[in-house]
Structure formats: structure tokens, C-alpha cells
Amino acid sequence: MIKIDELYASLDKIDKQMKVYELIDDDPEMKMKALENMIREFDSIGDGALEGIKNATALLKKIGSDDVAERIEKLTEIN
């Protein structure tokens, strides 16, 4: 599953790097480093999302569509 804490940590790092980027006026090298850090964090978020999708897909394959249909039917009968 997607690790939400890591996602929020990455978003926080991106936010901080954006603030740093805005404060740097005349140092292109530092601006580039801030952009590289943001890209690295976006990469990390993407990797986590892909891993979550793989896990969810594997879980769906294990369950099978007949089992899912039966569970949905049972849930609708309760209400």
C-alpha cells in the first residue's frame, strides 16, 4: 500500500524547496539544485504510487472477480 507518511514528507520537502527557490535571486547553481531536489521528491512519490498500484493489482488477482461479486451482493443485501 502507499505509505501516506512518506508521501506527506515528500510533499513537505517539495514545499520547502519551492520556498528556497523563490528566495534565491542571483545564484543559478543553487536554483538548479533546488529544482533537482524537487524532481527527486516527485520521483519518490511516483515510485510509491506505482508500488501501491502493483500491490492493489496483485490483491485483486488473488481475490478474483467471482469472489468480489459475491461480496458486493452480500453487502447490498445487508442494507
Side-chain angles (χ1 to χ4, degrees):
M1 289 298 166
I2 297 174
K3 298 176 182 174
I4 300 297
D5 292 339
E6 290 179 17
L7 176 70
Y8 282 123
S10 287
L11 290 172
D12 188 47
K13 289 178 186 177
I14 291 168
D15 187 49
K16 288 178 183 175
Q17 288 298 316
M18 288 176 72
K19 289 175 183 173
V20 167
Y21 182 85
E22 291 170 359
L23 292 174
I24 301 170
D25 286 332
D26 58 350
D27 192 347
E29 189 174 322
M30 290 301 291
K31 280 189 162 196
M32 194 61 139
K33 183 156 178 75
L35 289 172
E36 289 171 356
N37 290 337
M38 284 188 267
I39 291 169
R40 191 175 310 115
E41 290 304 320
F42 279 118
D43 240 4
S44 175
I45 291 169
D47 291 344
L50 284 175
E51 190 62 34
I53 291 168
K54 288 178 186 176
N55 292 340
T57 302
L59 189 60
L60 284 173
K61 287 179 182 177
K62 284 182 184 178
I63 294 172
S65 60
D66 291 336
D67 190 34
V68 171
E70 288 175 23
R71 290 179 186 204
I72 290 172
E73 188 175 324
K74 285 180 185 178
L75 289 172
T76 55
E77 289 174 3
I78 293 172
N79 294 325

